[in-house]
Amino acid sequence: MAKTQTTCPRCRQPVVADIEQLIDLNSDPLLKQKFLNGIINTLHCPSCGYEGSVATPLVYHDPEKELLLTFFPPELNMPVNDQEKQLGPMINRVMNALPNEKRKAYLLQPQSMLTYQTLIEKILEADGITKEMIEEQQKRLNLLQRLIATPQEKRAEIIKAEEALVDIGFFTLLSRLIQSAVAQQDEKSSKELQDLQNALFENTKVGKELKIQAKDTEAAIKSLQDAGKDGGLTREKLLDLVLQAPNETQ
């Protein structure tokens, strides 16, 4: 990434930021994840403390998905001809970096994204993640944030009203937050999130099913450990455990 001087959108003071206008996965496949995670093209203003994304022209290229996307921030208020003058050289760099046999028709028709959000959605759509899936995940995240901000004694009402959103994906999201809190040794957040998880285990259909599965998994692990104590775990012992297992999970 290149060090570039830009202007803070809040206080209008000059700021130096790391800017990457050409996101070419052909040259660096890791750029995709950095871009989607918001690591690329963000600034911190030492004058006012603002932290956020930088409005900059972008060219995104994924040769595997045959994607060549362009985005020009509307807030820059630049005529179309001037936009093309900025985007054109980056598109040429994409072309020149590819051997002749990999220069396909999609490179001649770059797709212009009208908003930053549609750019993100187009990239995710190529991975099989639809706009509807993104919206559902956002609903889960919004509900999770509401529950975290709500006192424990008032959570049951929200859980009951929004139980349709509490699915496997919701528990996966919550589990990741717990793991992150544990990794950062944030005991307070970790305990609060685990308390919320326990409440969801007790008060939702999916939670009750997951709790039973977790107990069955623990029982299966203990059975394996016990079977391996005397003489080790043999094929015959394992077969006996499988045949005697009381349910599908074990």
Side-chain angles (χ1 to χ4, degrees):
M1 289 182 284
K3 293 286 186 182
T4 305
Q5 182 165 305
T6 184
T7 303
C8 173
R10 179 189 290 167
C11 68
R12 314 310 299 173
Q13 292 297 312
V15 183
V16 175
D18 290 320
I19 306 295
E20 185 66 75
Q21 294 182 318
L22 176 56
I23 302 166
D24 188 1
L25 308 193
N26 177 57
S27 59
D28 185 357
L30 296 179
L31 282 175
K32 175 181 178 179
Q33 212 52 49
K34 291 178 181 178
F35 177 62
L36 293 176
N37 288 341
I39 297 172
I40 289 176
N41 300 337
T42 59
L43 64 80
H44 171 74
C45 178
S47 299
C48 69
Y50 171 84
E51 288 191 27
S53 59
V54 179
T56 184
L58 293 170
V59 171
Y60 179 92
H61 177 231
D62 184 342
E64 182 181 340
K65 303 289 174 55
E66 297 192 359
L67 280 182
L68 183 59
L69 311 175
T70 65
F71 169 66
F72 208 97
E75 58 265 38
L76 296 183
N77 294 320
M78 194 168 289
V80 174
N81 288 342
D82 291 338
Q83 293 181 24
E84 292 176 350
K85 288 179 182 177
Q86 289 200 35
L87 296 172
M90 289 189 279
I91 294 173
N92 288 335
R93 283 172 57 191
V94 169
M95 294 276 285
N96 294 334
L98 290 169
N100 289 333
E101 65 271 15
K102 291 189 177 181
R103 296 180 185 179
K104 300 181 180 180
Y106 77 93
L107 294 167
L108 303 176
Q109 297 178 316
Q111 301 176 65
S112 177
M113 302 291 104
L114 297 180
T115 67
Y116 189 83
Q117 183 61 31
T118 55
L119 171 63
I120 298 295
E121 289 173 359
K122 189 70 175 178
I123 294 169
L124 294 175
E125 183 184 332
D127 290 336
I129 302 172
T130 65
K131 184 177 180 180
E132 290 73 22
M133 292 166 68
I134 297 170
E135 290 174 350
E136 284 300 311
Q137 186 71 346
Q138 188 59 51
K139 289 178 183 177
R140 294 188 191 100
L141 184 58
N142 291 342
L143 174 58
L144 185 53
Q145 290 171 338
R146 277 179 64 198
L147 288 170
I148 291 171
T150 300
Q152 290 188 27
E153 63 272 14
K154 296 182 179 180
R155 285 175 178 169
E157 185 177 344
I158 298 175
I159 292 172
K160 184 177 180 181
E162 303 289 353
E163 186 173 353
L165 285 174
V166 184
D167 55 8
I168 296 295
F170 187 93
F171 276 98
T172 301
L173 183 62
L174 178 54
S175 178
R176 287 175 181 167
L177 288 177
I178 293 173
Q179 290 171 10
S180 176
V182 171
Q184 296 173 20
Q185 298 182 338
D186 186 347
E187 295 181 6
K188 182 174 181 293
S189 296
S190 176
K191 185 180 184 308
E192 289 176 352
L193 291 169
Q194 286 173 345
D195 288 343
L196 172 58
Q197 186 181 61
N198 290 333
L200 291 165
F201 280 147
E202 298 294 337
N203 295 288
T204 65
K205 180 182 177 182
V206 174
K208 291 174 182 176
E209 291 173 353
L210 288 174
K211 188 175 181 180
I212 292 171
Q213 289 177 11
K215 288 182 177 178
D216 286 336
T217 301
E218 289 176 5
I221 292 171
K222 187 176 185 306
S223 296
L224 287 168
Q225 291 172 338
D226 291 343
K229 287 179 180 177
D230 299 323
L233 182 64
T234 64
R235 184 176 299 181
E236 289 74 18
K237 289 181 180 179
L238 181 58
L239 179 58
D240 286 341
L241 288 175
V242 172
L243 293 175
Q244 294 169 16
N247 54 54
E248 187 69 22
T249 300
Q250 287 200 36

